[in-house]
Amino acid sequence: MAKSKTVIVTGASRGIGRKIAELFAVNGYNVLINYHRSENEARNFYETLRTKGLSVALYQADVADRKQVDNMIRFCLAQFDTVDVLINNAGISQSKMFIDITEDDWENMVKNNFNSVFHCTQSVVRYMISKKQGKIINISSIWGMVGAACEVHYSAVKAGIIGFTKALAKELGPLHIQVNCIAPGIIQTDMLKDFTTEDLEMLSNNTPLMRLGTVDDVAQCALFLASDKADFITGQVISPNGGFVI
Ligand code: NAD
C-alpha cells in the first residue's frame, strides 16, 4: 500500500487552518496540527480527530521563531517520516488607521504573517529538495491583491506573500517543488470578530455570489492544490472570494 502523504498546517487550532487540517485528515493525509497559544482548543481538536481514527499529531510552536520551526519539522519527520505539503496559514490581523500604526504593530504583523512563511518554508524546503518533490501553499488575502484601507500593514505583508510565492515557484520548479498561494476573500472566522452585523451584511451584499466565504471554501482550494490534479500548477494565486474581487 502506498504510504500516506503528510501535511503541516500552521495556526491550525481554529478558523481556516482547523478546517484545512480536518479536510486533509479525512482525505487520508497524516496531519501535523501546529498551534501557538490556544492549548485547550488545539488539544480538543486533536483528540476529536484522533478518536475518529485519523492520522494526526499536535505540535506547539511559534512559527515566527526559527528554532521552534526547525524543531517542529524534525518532530514531523520523526512522527510521519515525510513532509509532502506545507500550508502556511498562521497569521494575525489588525484594523488601524495608517498614521496610528506603531513600530510594534508593524513588526508584529511582519513577524507573524511573513517571517513565519519564510522560516517554515525554508526549513521544509531543505527536506523537500532532498526528496525532489513537495508542495507549498501560502495563505495570502484579497487585501494583498487590491489593498485595504485601515489595514495597510496587513495588506503589505499579504502582497509580499504573493511575490514570495511567484519568485519561489520559479526557483523551485526545476526541483519539482510547487509553490502556490490562496488569497481568500472575506471568510467567516474569529478574524471578523470586530466587524458589526451591518458591516458583514454590506460585504455580503457587495459580493456577486451574495454571501461571505466559509472555511470550507478555502480548505477545498488547498486540498485541490495539494493533489495530483494540480501537478502542473505553480506560482499561481487562487482566490476564493465569491467574485468580490474580479
Ligand atoms: P484565526 O485568527 O481564526 O486563525 C489564525 C491562527 O493563526 C490562530 O490560531 C493563531 O493563533 C495562529 N497564529 C498566529 N500567529 C502565529 C504564530 N506566530 N505561530 C503559530 N500560530 C500563529 O484567523 P483565520 O481567519 O482562520 O485566518 C487564517 C489565515 O487566513 C490567516 O493567514 C489570515 O490572514 C488568512 N485570511 C483570512 C481571511 C478571513 O476573512 N478570515 C481572509 C483572507 C485571508
Side-chain angles (χ1 to χ4, degrees), residues 11 13-17 34-36 61-64 89-92 112 139-141 154 158 184-187 189-192:
S13 63
R14 67 179 201 209
I16 292 171
N34 157 256
Y35 72 100
H36 184 200
D62 173 357
V63 290
N89 166 78
I92 59 166
N112 289 292
I139 308 295
S140 173
S141 161
Y154 181 79
K158 291 298 187 182
I186 297 139
I187 309 296
T189 70
D190 283 0
M191 223 169 235
L192 303 189

